[in-house]
Amino acid sequence: LGVAREVVHSLRRHGYPPDSAMPVTIVCYSGGGQIAVGSARYLARRLQAPIRVVSLGGVISSDPGLDDVQHLYQLKGSKDVVAPLADLLFPGRWRIMAHSAWNRAKRQGRITVIDAGAVTHFGRHDYFSRSTHTPDGISNAQRTAQLAATAILEADKLPS
């Protein structure tokens, strides 16, 4: 609730028109994915607007806030050992929990996993590395920025 309150204050300070129902896209990293999803319930109700989340290596449980996320784009590196832990650690993400918020969102097509390439969660080869490059010569940081920008543009195509 506190994070949602601060997001609303920040949006308003930066010109977000009250009662506009203008979609809000939150870009987050690691545990910030959980914070973004957790605050979505409060943001959606307060702003009366679609909430979208672009998560970079996010560790996200089956939070009830997922019911208020219009779409979750989750960038995952193939060498990231942290983000996939959520699949094991959070029972609401297990397939047998068919009625969990996570599995409902997946069934409804509101979760898109994006392959971020051979990036790690932290260290020299992480999502934000400028010294490690993809086979086509761009840095991991550039690749992550491109993938996040593409997800944001895809979110903009969603109905408001």
PDB file of all heavy atoms in Angstrom, residues 82-122:
ATOM      1  N   VAL A  82      18.224 -17.185 -10.249  1.00  0.00           N
ATOM      2  CA  VAL A  82      17.382 -16.629  -9.188  1.00  0.00           C
ATOM      3  C   VAL A  82      15.914 -16.588  -9.612  1.00  0.00           C
ATOM      4  O   VAL A  82      15.046 -17.091  -8.895  1.00  0.00           O
ATOM      5  CB  VAL A  82      17.885 -15.233  -8.760  1.00  0.00           C
ATOM      6  CG1 VAL A  82      16.962 -14.629  -7.723  1.00  0.00           C
ATOM      7  CG2 VAL A  82      19.311 -15.322  -8.227  1.00  0.00           C
ATOM      8  N   ALA A  83      15.603 -15.976 -10.745  1.00  0.00           N
ATOM      9  CA  ALA A  83      14.206 -15.825 -11.182  1.00  0.00           C
ATOM     10  C   ALA A  83      13.459 -17.163 -11.253  1.00  0.00           C
ATOM     11  O   ALA A  83      12.311 -17.239 -10.815  1.00  0.00           O
ATOM     12  CB  ALA A  83      14.146 -15.079 -12.512  1.00  0.00           C
ATOM     13  N   PRO A  84      14.073 -18.229 -11.781  1.00  0.00           N
ATOM     14  CA  PRO A  84      13.346 -19.503 -11.853  1.00  0.00           C
ATOM     15  C   PRO A  84      13.031 -20.123 -10.488  1.00  0.00           C
ATOM     16  O   PRO A  84      12.189 -21.015 -10.398  1.00  0.00           O
ATOM     17  CB  PRO A  84      14.280 -20.419 -12.645  1.00  0.00           C
ATOM     18  CG  PRO A  84      15.186 -19.510 -13.384  1.00  0.00           C
ATOM     19  CD  PRO A  84      15.338 -18.298 -12.512  1.00  0.00           C
ATOM     20  N   LEU A  85      13.679 -19.655  -9.426  1.00  0.00           N
ATOM     21  CA  LEU A  85      13.387 -20.185  -8.098  1.00  0.00           C
ATOM     22  C   LEU A  85      11.926 -19.965  -7.710  1.00  0.00           C
ATOM     23  O   LEU A  85      11.360 -20.730  -6.944  1.00  0.00           O
ATOM     24  CB  LEU A  85      14.300 -19.557  -7.046  1.00  0.00           C
ATOM     25  CG  LEU A  85      15.755 -20.016  -7.058  1.00  0.00           C
ATOM     26  CD1 LEU A  85      16.565 -19.232  -6.035  1.00  0.00           C
ATOM     27  CD2 LEU A  85      15.856 -21.510  -6.802  1.00  0.00           C
ATOM     28  N   ALA A  86      11.328 -18.907  -8.257  1.00  0.00           N
ATOM     29  CA  ALA A  86       9.924 -18.622  -7.943  1.00  0.00           C
ATOM     30  C   ALA A  86       9.034 -19.803  -8.334  1.00  0.00           C
ATOM     31  O   ALA A  86       8.061 -20.101  -7.634  1.00  0.00           O
ATOM     32  CB  ALA A  86       9.478 -17.349  -8.655  1.00  0.00           C
ATOM     33  N   ASP A  87       9.368 -20.475  -9.432  1.00  0.00           N
ATOM     34  CA  ASP A  87       8.572 -21.627  -9.867  1.00  0.00           C
ATOM     35  C   ASP A  87       8.583 -22.743  -8.827  1.00  0.00           C
ATOM     36  O   ASP A  87       7.625 -23.500  -8.713  1.00  0.00           O
ATOM     37  CB  ASP A  87       9.101 -22.187 -11.190  1.00  0.00           C
ATOM     38  CG  ASP A  87       8.901 -21.235 -12.348  1.00  0.00           C
ATOM     39  OD1 ASP A  87       7.943 -20.438 -12.313  1.00  0.00           O
ATOM     40  OD2 ASP A  87       9.711 -21.288 -13.298  1.00  0.00           O
ATOM     41  N   LEU A  88       9.661 -22.836  -8.068  1.00  0.00           N
ATOM     42  CA  LEU A  88       9.802 -23.889  -7.059  1.00  0.00           C
ATOM     43  C   LEU A  88       9.341 -23.450  -5.679  1.00  0.00           C
ATOM     44  O   LEU A  88       8.709 -24.208  -4.953  1.00  0.00           O
ATOM     45  CB  LEU A  88      11.271 -24.328  -6.970  1.00  0.00           C
ATOM     46  CG  LEU A  88      11.900 -24.878  -8.241  1.00  0.00           C
ATOM     47  CD1 LEU A  88      13.394 -25.047  -8.061  1.00  0.00           C
ATOM     48  CD2 LEU A  88      11.253 -26.193  -8.616  1.00  0.00           C
ATOM     49  N   LEU A  89       9.670 -22.224  -5.308  1.00  0.00           N
ATOM     50  CA  LEU A  89       9.453 -21.767  -3.943  1.00  0.00           C
ATOM     51  C   LEU A  89       8.033 -21.325  -3.628  1.00  0.00           C
ATOM     52  O   LEU A  89       7.625 -21.345  -2.471  1.00  0.00           O
ATOM     53  CB  LEU A  89      10.412 -20.615  -3.624  1.00  0.00           C
ATOM     54  CG  LEU A  89      11.895 -20.950  -3.650  1.00  0.00           C
ATOM     55  CD1 LEU A  89      12.725 -19.704  -3.394  1.00  0.00           C
ATOM     56  CD2 LEU A  89      12.215 -22.029  -2.630  1.00  0.00           C
ATOM     57  N   PHE A  90       7.291 -20.896  -4.622  1.00  0.00           N
ATOM     58  CA  PHE A  90       5.955 -20.365  -4.382  1.00  0.00           C
ATOM     59  C   PHE A  90       4.895 -21.366  -4.836  1.00  0.00           C
ATOM     60  O   PHE A  90       4.657 -21.530  -6.035  1.00  0.00           O
ATOM     61  CB  PHE A  90       5.772 -19.031  -5.097  1.00  0.00           C
ATOM     62  CG  PHE A  90       6.761 -17.978  -4.683  1.00  0.00           C
ATOM     63  CD1 PHE A  90       7.551 -17.341  -5.627  1.00  0.00           C
ATOM     64  CD2 PHE A  90       6.897 -17.617  -3.351  1.00  0.00           C
ATOM     65  CE1 PHE A  90       8.461 -16.360  -5.251  1.00  0.00           C
ATOM     66  CE2 PHE A  90       7.803 -16.643  -2.964  1.00  0.00           C
ATOM     67  CZ  PHE A  90       8.586 -16.015  -3.912  1.00  0.00           C
ATOM     68  N   PRO A  91       4.222 -22.042  -3.888  1.00  0.00           N
ATOM     69  CA  PRO A  91       3.237 -23.060  -4.254  1.00  0.00           C
ATOM     70  C   PRO A  91       2.157 -22.556  -5.215  1.00  0.00           C
ATOM     71  O   PRO A  91       1.664 -23.324  -6.040  1.00  0.00           O
ATOM     72  CB  PRO A  91       2.616 -23.457  -2.902  1.00  0.00           C
ATOM     73  CG  PRO A  91       3.677 -23.131  -1.899  1.00  0.00           C
ATOM     74  CD  PRO A  91       4.391 -21.918  -2.442  1.00  0.00           C
ATOM     75  N   GLY A  92       1.805 -21.292  -5.141  1.00  0.00           N
ATOM     76  CA  GLY A  92       0.784 -20.751  -6.036  1.00  0.00           C
ATOM     77  C   GLY A  92       1.201 -20.765  -7.496  1.00  0.00           C
ATOM     78  O   GLY A  92       0.368 -20.591  -8.386  1.00  0.00           O
ATOM     79  N   ARG A  93       2.490 -21.000  -7.743  1.00  0.00           N
ATOM     80  CA  ARG A  93       2.954 -21.091  -9.128  1.00  0.00           C
ATOM     81  C   ARG A  93       2.994 -22.529  -9.623  1.00  0.00           C
ATOM     82  O   ARG A  93       3.246 -22.769 -10.805  1.00  0.00           O
ATOM     83  CB  ARG A  93       4.328 -20.428  -9.259  1.00  0.00           C
ATOM     84  CG  ARG A  93       4.194 -18.949  -8.988  1.00  0.00           C
ATOM     85  CD  ARG A  93       5.155 -18.047  -9.597  1.00  0.00           C
ATOM     86  NE  ARG A  93       5.796 -18.401 -10.821  1.00  0.00           N
ATOM     87  CZ  ARG A  93       6.811 -17.717 -11.315  1.00  0.00           C
ATOM     88  NH1 ARG A  93       7.251 -16.645 -10.696  1.00  0.00           N
ATOM     89  NH2 ARG A  93       7.375 -18.070 -12.440  1.00  0.00           N
ATOM     90  N   TRP A  94       2.757 -23.478  -8.748  1.00  0.00           N
ATOM     91  CA  TRP A  94       2.747 -24.878  -9.152  1.00  0.00           C
ATOM     92  C   TRP A  94       1.496 -25.164  -9.975  1.00  0.00           C
ATOM     93  O   TRP A  94       0.421 -24.634  -9.717  1.00  0.00           O
ATOM     94  CB  TRP A  94       2.784 -25.798  -7.940  1.00  0.00           C
ATOM     95  CG  TRP A  94       3.970 -25.612  -7.044  1.00  0.00           C
ATOM     96  CD1 TRP A  94       5.108 -24.899  -7.307  1.00  0.00           C
ATOM     97  CD2 TRP A  94       4.117 -26.123  -5.728  1.00  0.00           C
ATOM     98  NE1 TRP A  94       5.956 -24.944  -6.229  1.00  0.00           N
ATOM     99  CE2 TRP A  94       5.368 -25.699  -5.242  1.00  0.00           C
ATOM    100  CE3 TRP A  94       3.318 -26.902  -4.903  1.00  0.00           C
ATOM    101  CZ2 TRP A  94       5.831 -26.033  -3.980  1.00  0.00           C
ATOM    102  CZ3 TRP A  94       3.788 -27.237  -3.645  1.00  0.00           C
ATOM    103  CH2 TRP A  94       5.034 -26.820  -3.200  1.00  0.00           C
ATOM    104  N   ARG A  95       1.630 -26.032 -10.957  1.00  0.00           N
ATOM    105  CA  ARG A  95       0.500 -26.368 -11.841  1.00  0.00           C
ATOM    106  C   ARG A  95      -0.701 -26.929 -11.092  1.00  0.00           C
ATOM    107  O   ARG A  95      -1.840 -26.698 -11.487  1.00  0.00           O
ATOM    108  CB  ARG A  95       0.938 -27.376 -12.897  1.00  0.00           C
ATOM    109  CG  ARG A  95       1.727 -26.764 -13.993  1.00  0.00           C
ATOM    110  CD  ARG A  95       1.964 -27.769 -15.079  1.00  0.00           C
ATOM    111  NE  ARG A  95       2.965 -27.255 -15.988  1.00  0.00           N
ATOM    112  CZ  ARG A  95       3.548 -27.957 -16.925  1.00  0.00           C
ATOM    113  NH1 ARG A  95       3.220 -29.216 -17.089  1.00  0.00           N
ATOM    114  NH2 ARG A  95       4.439 -27.415 -17.700  1.00  0.00           N
ATOM    115  N   ILE A  96      -0.449 -27.656 -10.029  1.00  0.00           N
ATOM    116  CA  ILE A  96      -1.562 -28.262  -9.297  1.00  0.00           C
ATOM    117  C   ILE A  96      -2.425 -27.214  -8.600  1.00  0.00           C
ATOM    118  O   ILE A  96      -3.541 -27.509  -8.204  1.00  0.00           O
ATOM    119  CB  ILE A  96      -1.091 -29.319  -8.278  1.00  0.00           C
ATOM    120  CG1 ILE A  96      -0.182 -28.689  -7.223  1.00  0.00           C
ATOM    121  CG2 ILE A  96      -0.400 -30.472  -8.967  1.00  0.00           C
ATOM    122  CD1 ILE A  96       0.084 -29.599  -6.039  1.00  0.00           C
ATOM    123  N   MET A  97      -1.930 -26.009  -8.486  1.00  0.00           N
ATOM    124  CA  MET A  97      -2.695 -24.912  -7.880  1.00  0.00           C
ATOM    125  C   MET A  97      -3.409 -24.148  -8.999  1.00  0.00           C
ATOM    126  O   MET A  97      -3.180 -22.961  -9.227  1.00  0.00           O
ATOM    127  CB  MET A  97      -1.768 -23.992  -7.088  1.00  0.00           C
ATOM    128  CG  MET A  97      -0.970 -24.715  -6.022  1.00  0.00           C
ATOM    129  SD  MET A  97      -2.018 -25.446  -4.764  1.00  0.00           S
ATOM    130  CE  MET A  97      -2.435 -24.016  -3.835  1.00  0.00           C
ATOM    131  N   ALA A  98      -4.290 -24.844  -9.698  1.00  0.00           N
ATOM    132  CA  ALA A  98      -4.923 -24.320 -10.907  1.00  0.00           C
ATOM    133  C   ALA A  98      -5.676 -23.014 -10.692  1.00  0.00           C
ATOM    134  O   ALA A  98      -5.797 -22.206 -11.603  1.00  0.00           O
ATOM    135  CB  ALA A  98      -5.871 -25.370 -11.484  1.00  0.00           C
ATOM    136  N   HIS A  99      -6.178 -22.777  -9.491  1.00  0.00           N
ATOM    137  CA  HIS A  99      -6.995 -21.590  -9.258  1.00  0.00           C
ATOM    138  C   HIS A  99      -6.221 -20.437  -8.625  1.00  0.00           C
ATOM    139  O   HIS A  99      -6.821 -19.440  -8.215  1.00  0.00           O
ATOM    140  CB  HIS A  99      -8.214 -21.951  -8.403  1.00  0.00           C
ATOM    141  CG  HIS A  99      -9.088 -22.949  -9.077  1.00  0.00           C
ATOM    142  ND1 HIS A  99      -9.798 -22.665 -10.224  1.00  0.00           N
ATOM    143  CD2 HIS A  99      -9.341 -24.246  -8.795  1.00  0.00           C
ATOM    144  CE1 HIS A  99     -10.453 -23.736 -10.616  1.00  0.00           C
ATOM    145  NE2 HIS A  99     -10.189 -24.711  -9.774  1.00  0.00           N
ATOM    146  N   SER A 100      -4.892 -20.565  -8.584  1.00  0.00           N
ATOM    147  CA  SER A 100      -4.086 -19.474  -8.022  1.00  0.00           C
ATOM    148  C   SER A 100      -4.096 -18.275  -8.971  1.00  0.00           C
ATOM    149  O   SER A 100      -4.378 -18.408 -10.168  1.00  0.00           O
ATOM    150  CB  SER A 100      -2.645 -19.941  -7.791  1.00  0.00           C
ATOM    151  OG  SER A 100      -1.979 -20.109  -9.036  1.00  0.00           O
ATOM    152  N   ALA A 101      -3.778 -17.120  -8.426  1.00  0.00           N
ATOM    153  CA  ALA A 101      -3.728 -15.896  -9.250  1.00  0.00           C
ATOM    154  C   ALA A 101      -2.734 -16.066 -10.395  1.00  0.00           C
ATOM    155  O   ALA A 101      -2.998 -15.634 -11.525  1.00  0.00           O
ATOM    156  CB  ALA A 101      -3.367 -14.694  -8.381  1.00  0.00           C
ATOM    157  N   TRP A 102      -1.598 -16.692 -10.133  1.00  0.00           N
ATOM    158  CA  TRP A 102      -0.568 -16.888 -11.164  1.00  0.00           C
ATOM    159  C   TRP A 102      -1.114 -17.757 -12.298  1.00  0.00           C
ATOM    160  O   TRP A 102      -1.009 -17.397 -13.474  1.00  0.00           O
ATOM    161  CB  TRP A 102       0.679 -17.526 -10.568  1.00  0.00           C
ATOM    162  CG  TRP A 102       1.753 -17.740 -11.581  1.00  0.00           C
ATOM    163  CD1 TRP A 102       1.976 -18.851 -12.329  1.00  0.00           C
ATOM    164  CD2 TRP A 102       2.729 -16.772 -11.998  1.00  0.00           C
ATOM    165  NE1 TRP A 102       3.031 -18.647 -13.181  1.00  0.00           N
ATOM    166  CE2 TRP A 102       3.511 -17.378 -12.992  1.00  0.00           C
ATOM    167  CE3 TRP A 102       3.008 -15.465 -11.617  1.00  0.00           C
ATOM    168  CZ2 TRP A 102       4.567 -16.720 -13.606  1.00  0.00           C
ATOM    169  CZ3 TRP A 102       4.067 -14.818 -12.232  1.00  0.00           C
ATOM    170  CH2 TRP A 102       4.837 -15.440 -13.223  1.00  0.00           C
ATOM    171  N   ASN A 103      -1.699 -18.885 -11.939  1.00  0.00           N
ATOM    172  CA  ASN A 103      -2.177 -19.804 -12.967  1.00  0.00           C
ATOM    173  C   ASN A 103      -3.395 -19.269 -13.711  1.00  0.00           C
ATOM    174  O   ASN A 103      -3.552 -19.529 -14.902  1.00  0.00           O
ATOM    175  CB  ASN A 103      -2.416 -21.189 -12.360  1.00  0.00           C
ATOM    176  CG  ASN A 103      -1.094 -21.874 -12.074  1.00  0.00           C
ATOM    177  OD1 ASN A 103      -0.198 -21.876 -12.898  1.00  0.00           O
ATOM    178  ND2 ASN A 103      -0.950 -22.428 -10.881  1.00  0.00           N
ATOM    179  N   ARG A 104      -4.226 -18.488 -13.051  1.00  0.00           N
ATOM    180  CA  ARG A 104      -5.333 -17.821 -13.757  1.00  0.00           C
ATOM    181  C   ARG A 104      -4.783 -16.847 -14.793  1.00  0.00           C
ATOM    182  O   ARG A 104      -5.234 -16.813 -15.934  1.00  0.00           O
ATOM    183  CB  ARG A 104      -6.231 -17.067 -12.764  1.00  0.00           C
ATOM    184  CG  ARG A 104      -7.286 -17.887 -12.125  1.00  0.00           C
ATOM    185  CD  ARG A 104      -8.353 -17.040 -11.434  1.00  0.00           C
ATOM    186  NE  ARG A 104      -7.837 -15.996 -10.569  1.00  0.00           N
ATOM    187  CZ  ARG A 104      -7.484 -16.154  -9.304  1.00  0.00           C
ATOM    188  NH1 ARG A 104      -7.586 -17.341  -8.736  1.00  0.00           N
ATOM    189  NH2 ARG A 104      -7.036 -15.129  -8.599  1.00  0.00           N
ATOM    190  N   ALA A 105      -3.797 -16.039 -14.375  1.00  0.00           N
ATOM    191  CA  ALA A 105      -3.205 -15.062 -15.303  1.00  0.00           C
ATOM    192  C   ALA A 105      -2.550 -15.760 -16.491  1.00  0.00           C
ATOM    193  O   ALA A 105      -2.679 -15.306 -17.630  1.00  0.00           O
ATOM    194  CB  ALA A 105      -2.199 -14.184 -14.563  1.00  0.00           C
ATOM    195  N   LYS A 106      -1.885 -16.879 -16.235  1.00  0.00           N
ATOM    196  CA  LYS A 106      -1.270 -17.637 -17.338  1.00  0.00           C
ATOM    197  C   LYS A 106      -2.335 -18.168 -18.293  1.00  0.00           C
ATOM    198  O   LYS A 106      -2.205 -18.024 -19.509  1.00  0.00           O
ATOM    199  CB  LYS A 106      -0.434 -18.798 -16.788  1.00  0.00           C
ATOM    200  CG  LYS A 106       0.935 -18.373 -16.317  1.00  0.00           C
ATOM    201  CD  LYS A 106       1.773 -19.548 -15.898  1.00  0.00           C
ATOM    202  CE  LYS A 106       2.221 -20.310 -17.108  1.00  0.00           C
ATOM    203  NZ  LYS A 106       3.209 -21.350 -16.830  1.00  0.00           N
ATOM    204  N   ARG A 107      -3.385 -18.764 -17.736  1.00  0.00           N
ATOM    205  CA  ARG A 107      -4.460 -19.296 -18.574  1.00  0.00           C
ATOM    206  C   ARG A 107      -5.117 -18.208 -19.411  1.00  0.00           C
ATOM    207  O   ARG A 107      -5.527 -18.426 -20.541  1.00  0.00           O
ATOM    208  CB  ARG A 107      -5.531 -19.963 -17.706  1.00  0.00           C
ATOM    209  CG  ARG A 107      -5.447 -21.437 -17.612  1.00  0.00           C
ATOM    210  CD  ARG A 107      -6.679 -22.079 -16.996  1.00  0.00           C
ATOM    211  NE  ARG A 107      -7.295 -21.389 -15.894  1.00  0.00           N
ATOM    212  CZ  ARG A 107      -6.878 -21.437 -14.623  1.00  0.00           C
ATOM    213  NH1 ARG A 107      -5.822 -22.144 -14.302  1.00  0.00           N
ATOM    214  NH2 ARG A 107      -7.530 -20.777 -13.677  1.00  0.00           N
ATOM    215  N   GLN A 108      -5.229 -17.024 -18.837  1.00  0.00           N
ATOM    216  CA  GLN A 108      -5.865 -15.905 -19.534  1.00  0.00           C
ATOM    217  C   GLN A 108      -4.916 -15.209 -20.510  1.00  0.00           C
ATOM    218  O   GLN A 108      -5.305 -14.246 -21.170  1.00  0.00           O
ATOM    219  CB  GLN A 108      -6.381 -14.894 -18.506  1.00  0.00           C
ATOM    220  CG  GLN A 108      -7.503 -15.437 -17.658  1.00  0.00           C
ATOM    221  CD  GLN A 108      -7.780 -14.586 -16.420  1.00  0.00           C
ATOM    222  OE1 GLN A 108      -7.093 -13.613 -16.139  1.00  0.00           O
ATOM    223  NE2 GLN A 108      -8.800 -14.977 -15.668  1.00  0.00           N
ATOM    224  N   GLY A 109      -3.687 -15.692 -20.606  1.00  0.00           N
ATOM    225  CA  GLY A 109      -2.718 -15.106 -21.535  1.00  0.00           C
ATOM    226  C   GLY A 109      -2.186 -13.759 -21.081  1.00  0.00           C
ATOM    227  O   GLY A 109      -1.726 -12.967 -21.895  1.00  0.00           O
ATOM    228  N   ARG A 110      -2.224 -13.496 -19.767  1.00  0.00           N
ATOM    229  CA  ARG A 110      -1.772 -12.206 -19.254  1.00  0.00           C
ATOM    230  C   ARG A 110      -0.331 -12.223 -18.752  1.00  0.00           C
ATOM    231  O   ARG A 110       0.141 -11.244 -18.191  1.00  0.00           O
ATOM    232  CB  ARG A 110      -2.712 -11.721 -18.143  1.00  0.00           C
ATOM    233  CG  ARG A 110      -4.104 -11.392 -18.665  1.00  0.00           C
ATOM    234  CD  ARG A 110      -5.020 -10.774 -17.624  1.00  0.00           C
ATOM    235  NE  ARG A 110      -5.273 -11.655 -16.495  1.00  0.00           N
ATOM    236  CZ  ARG A 110      -4.801 -11.460 -15.256  1.00  0.00           C
ATOM    237  NH1 ARG A 110      -4.071 -10.412 -14.979  1.00  0.00           N
ATOM    238  NH2 ARG A 110      -5.096 -12.317 -14.298  1.00  0.00           N
ATOM    239  N   ILE A 111       0.373 -13.339 -18.984  1.00  0.00           N
ATOM    240  CA  ILE A 111       1.792 -13.420 -18.634  1.00  0.00           C
ATOM    241  C   ILE A 111       2.552 -13.815 -19.883  1.00  0.00           C
ATOM    242  O   ILE A 111       2.243 -14.826 -20.521  1.00  0.00           O
ATOM    243  CB  ILE A 111       2.061 -14.435 -17.507  1.00  0.00           C
ATOM    244  CG1 ILE A 111       1.362 -14.002 -16.218  1.00  0.00           C
ATOM    245  CG2 ILE A 111       3.566 -14.602 -17.281  1.00  0.00           C
ATOM    246  CD1 ILE A 111       1.469 -14.994 -15.079  1.00  0.00           C
ATOM    247  N   THR A 112       3.529 -13.011 -20.240  1.00  0.00           N
ATOM    248  CA  THR A 112       4.392 -13.302 -21.371  1.00  0.00           C
ATOM    249  C   THR A 112       5.816 -13.382 -20.868  1.00  0.00           C
ATOM    250  O   THR A 112       6.325 -12.424 -20.277  1.00  0.00           O
ATOM    251  CB  THR A 112       4.291 -12.200 -22.448  1.00  0.00           C
ATOM    252  OG1 THR A 112       2.929 -12.110 -22.900  1.00  0.00           O
ATOM    253  CG2 THR A 112       5.207 -12.486 -23.627  1.00  0.00           C
ATOM    254  N   VAL A 113       6.460 -14.534 -21.078  1.00  0.00           N
ATOM    255  CA  VAL A 113       7.860 -14.702 -20.704  1.00  0.00           C
ATOM    256  C   VAL A 113       8.700 -14.422 -21.944  1.00  0.00           C
ATOM    257  O   VAL A 113       8.436 -14.958 -23.022  1.00  0.00           O
ATOM    258  CB  VAL A 113       8.137 -16.117 -20.152  1.00  0.00           C
ATOM    259  CG1 VAL A 113       9.615 -16.289 -19.829  1.00  0.00           C
ATOM    260  CG2 VAL A 113       7.276 -16.383 -18.920  1.00  0.00           C
ATOM    261  N   ILE A 114       9.699 -13.565 -21.768  1.00  0.00           N
ATOM    262  CA  ILE A 114      10.559 -13.150 -22.876  1.00  0.00           C
ATOM    263  C   ILE A 114      11.974 -13.641 -22.603  1.00  0.00           C
ATOM    264  O   ILE A 114      12.537 -13.368 -21.535  1.00  0.00           O
ATOM    265  CB  ILE A 114      10.547 -11.611 -23.017  1.00  0.00           C
ATOM    266  CG1 ILE A 114       9.116 -11.134 -23.295  1.00  0.00           C
ATOM    267  CG2 ILE A 114      11.515 -11.150 -24.096  1.00  0.00           C
ATOM    268  CD1 ILE A 114       8.929  -9.634 -23.143  1.00  0.00           C
ATOM    269  N   ASP A 115      12.540 -14.353 -23.556  1.00  0.00           N
ATOM    270  CA  ASP A 115      13.906 -14.861 -23.424  1.00  0.00           C
ATOM    271  C   ASP A 115      14.885 -13.695 -23.529  1.00  0.00           C
ATOM    272  O   ASP A 115      14.985 -13.051 -24.577  1.00  0.00           O
ATOM    273  CB  ASP A 115      14.177 -15.891 -24.509  1.00  0.00           C
ATOM    274  CG  ASP A 115      15.580 -16.465 -24.464  1.00  0.00           C
ATOM    275  OD1 ASP A 115      16.326 -16.202 -23.497  1.00  0.00           O
ATOM    276  OD2 ASP A 115      15.934 -17.190 -25.412  1.00  0.00           O
ATOM    277  N   ALA A 116      15.605 -13.443 -22.454  1.00  0.00           N
ATOM    278  CA  ALA A 116      16.565 -12.337 -22.426  1.00  0.00           C
ATOM    279  C   ALA A 116      17.959 -12.776 -22.865  1.00  0.00           C
ATOM    280  O   ALA A 116      18.906 -11.987 -22.806  1.00  0.00           O
ATOM    281  CB  ALA A 116      16.620 -11.731 -21.028  1.00  0.00           C
ATOM    282  N   GLY A 117      18.101 -14.023 -23.290  1.00  0.00           N
ATOM    283  CA  GLY A 117      19.401 -14.510 -23.727  1.00  0.00           C
ATOM    284  C   GLY A 117      20.204 -15.068 -22.558  1.00  0.00           C
ATOM    285  O   GLY A 117      19.694 -15.298 -21.470  1.00  0.00           O
ATOM    286  N   ALA A 118      21.482 -15.254 -22.787  1.00  0.00           N
ATOM    287  CA  ALA A 118      22.372 -15.902 -21.812  1.00  0.00           C
ATOM    288  C   ALA A 118      22.850 -14.925 -20.747  1.00  0.00           C
ATOM    289  O   ALA A 118      24.051 -14.687 -20.595  1.00  0.00           O
ATOM    290  CB  ALA A 118      23.548 -16.545 -22.535  1.00  0.00           C
ATOM    291  N   VAL A 119      21.902 -14.354 -20.008  1.00  0.00           N
ATOM    292  CA  VAL A 119      22.272 -13.417 -18.946  1.00  0.00           C
ATOM    293  C   VAL A 119      22.043 -14.058 -17.581  1.00  0.00           C
ATOM    294  O   VAL A 119      21.198 -14.936 -17.423  1.00  0.00           O
ATOM    295  CB  VAL A 119      21.498 -12.074 -19.037  1.00  0.00           C
ATOM    296  CG1 VAL A 119      21.813 -11.365 -20.340  1.00  0.00           C
ATOM    297  CG2 VAL A 119      20.013 -12.273 -18.880  1.00  0.00           C
ATOM    298  N   THR A 120      22.821 -13.595 -16.614  1.00  0.00           N
ATOM    299  CA  THR A 120      22.700 -14.058 -15.240  1.00  0.00           C
ATOM    300  C   THR A 120      21.912 -13.030 -14.435  1.00  0.00           C
ATOM    301  O   THR A 120      21.652 -11.929 -14.919  1.00  0.00           O
ATOM    302  CB  THR A 120      24.086 -14.248 -14.608  1.00  0.00           C
ATOM    303  OG1 THR A 120      24.781 -13.001 -14.639  1.00  0.00           O
ATOM    304  CG2 THR A 120      24.900 -15.302 -15.369  1.00  0.00           C
ATOM    305  N   HIS A 121      21.579 -13.389 -13.210  1.00  0.00           N
ATOM    306  CA  HIS A 121      20.805 -12.465 -12.371  1.00  0.00           C
ATOM    307  C   HIS A 121      21.676 -11.328 -11.848  1.00  0.00           C
ATOM    308  O   HIS A 121      21.222 -10.201 -11.716  1.00  0.00           O
ATOM    309  CB  HIS A 121      20.177 -13.222 -11.204  1.00  0.00           C
ATOM    310  CG  HIS A 121      19.054 -12.494 -10.562  1.00  0.00           C
ATOM    311  ND1 HIS A 121      17.795 -12.436 -11.117  1.00  0.00           N
ATOM    312  CD2 HIS A 121      18.983 -11.771  -9.424  1.00  0.00           C
ATOM    313  CE1 HIS A 121      17.001 -11.719 -10.347  1.00  0.00           C
ATOM    314  NE2 HIS A 121      17.692 -11.305  -9.312  1.00  0.00           N
ATOM    315  N   PHE A 122      22.911 -11.641 -11.527  1.00  0.00           N
ATOM    316  CA  PHE A 122      23.846 -10.616 -11.058  1.00  0.00           C
ATOM    317  C   PHE A 122      25.256 -11.042 -11.463  1.00  0.00           C
ATOM    318  O   PHE A 122      25.482 -12.167 -11.859  1.00  0.00           O
ATOM    319  CB  PHE A 122      23.763 -10.410  -9.535  1.00  0.00           C
ATOM    320  CG  PHE A 122      23.561 -11.667  -8.743  1.00  0.00           C
ATOM    321  CD1 PHE A 122      24.577 -12.585  -8.573  1.00  0.00           C
ATOM    322  CD2 PHE A 122      22.328 -11.941  -8.183  1.00  0.00           C
ATOM    323  CE1 PHE A 122      24.388 -13.739  -7.852  1.00  0.00           C
ATOM    324  CE2 PHE A 122      22.118 -13.105  -7.459  1.00  0.00           C
ATOM    325  CZ  PHE A 122      23.148 -13.999  -7.292  1.00  0.00           C
TER     326      PHE A 122
END
